[in-house]
Every structure is written in structure tokens, then in C-alpha cells.
Amino acid sequence: MRFLLNVLWFIFGGGFLLAIGYGFAALICFVLIITIPFGVAAGRLALYSLWPFGRTVVSRPGAGVGSGLANILWVVLFGWWIALAHLTAGIALCVTIIGIPFGIANFKLVPVAFWPLGREIVDVD
């Protein structure tokens, strides 16, 4: 079932476009050397937005003060509007019955889009 939902998400739910957008942002962050940690976070978001079903976000136990400070900068510059976009898309998708799983996938992307550093994506199994 997860495979089917992931394929439908990839084609119809915007997973492909989200991955391209996050991947492009990651490349820009890698070019601007000082923003490499943000590029890693954007790359993590790109991979998670490709196949969100069957995966979840957990806090990384070794994350320190640096990731917390970088997250504050992320929230101010990028995180709040990315999270708001996922929240809005999730609400809009949940209005239709067939879009509810895709809305839930967008809701799963909200916390990691808002506060990505110091987190990792793991399989549910």
C-alpha cells in the first residue's frame, strides 16, 4: 500500500515538483559555501518529499547547539513560509476525500520544513 501511495504522491501529489524545488535550493546552498548545512537540510527534504509514505522524522540525538542556532536562522529565512505552504496545501487536499492521504503527507512535511536541522528521516518499519 505504501508503494502505491508513494507512486501516486510522486505523480499526482506534487512529490516530483517538491523534490526538484528542494533539490534546486540544495544546489544553491552548496554553491554558497557558508550555507552548506542548509543545503544538506534541503537535500533531506527533497528525498523525504519524493517518498513520504512509510517514513517518519525523528530527532537526531547528537544534534547540538549549532543545529539549534542554525534552525533559528532557517525559520527566519525559509522555514516559516515553507511550512505554511505545506500546511495550506495539506488543508486544501484534505477538503476532497481522495486527497486526504496527500494532505496527510503534506502535514508530515511541515515539522521538518520548519525545523530541519538536527532531524533525520527513518523508515517506519
Side-chain angles (χ1 to χ4, degrees), residues 46-115:
L47 291 175
Y48 189 42
S49 65
L50 273 178
W51 306 104
F53 296 99
R55 300 165 78 191
T56 189
V57 179
V58 296
S59 295
R60 196 174 61 227
V65 175
S67 68
L69 294 174
N71 271 328
I72 292 170
L73 186 61
W74 173 276
V75 168
V76 170
L77 297 176
F78 317 110
W80 69 271
W81 62 269
I82 296 172
L84 184 64
H86 282 299
L87 188 64
T88 305
I91 291 170
L93 285 165
C94 283
V95 169
T96 65
I97 292 174
I98 200 160
I100 290 174
F102 300 141
I104 291 170
N106 266 302
F107 293 146
K108 284 174 53 175
L109 286 165
V110 169
V112 73
F114 189 72
W115 200 264

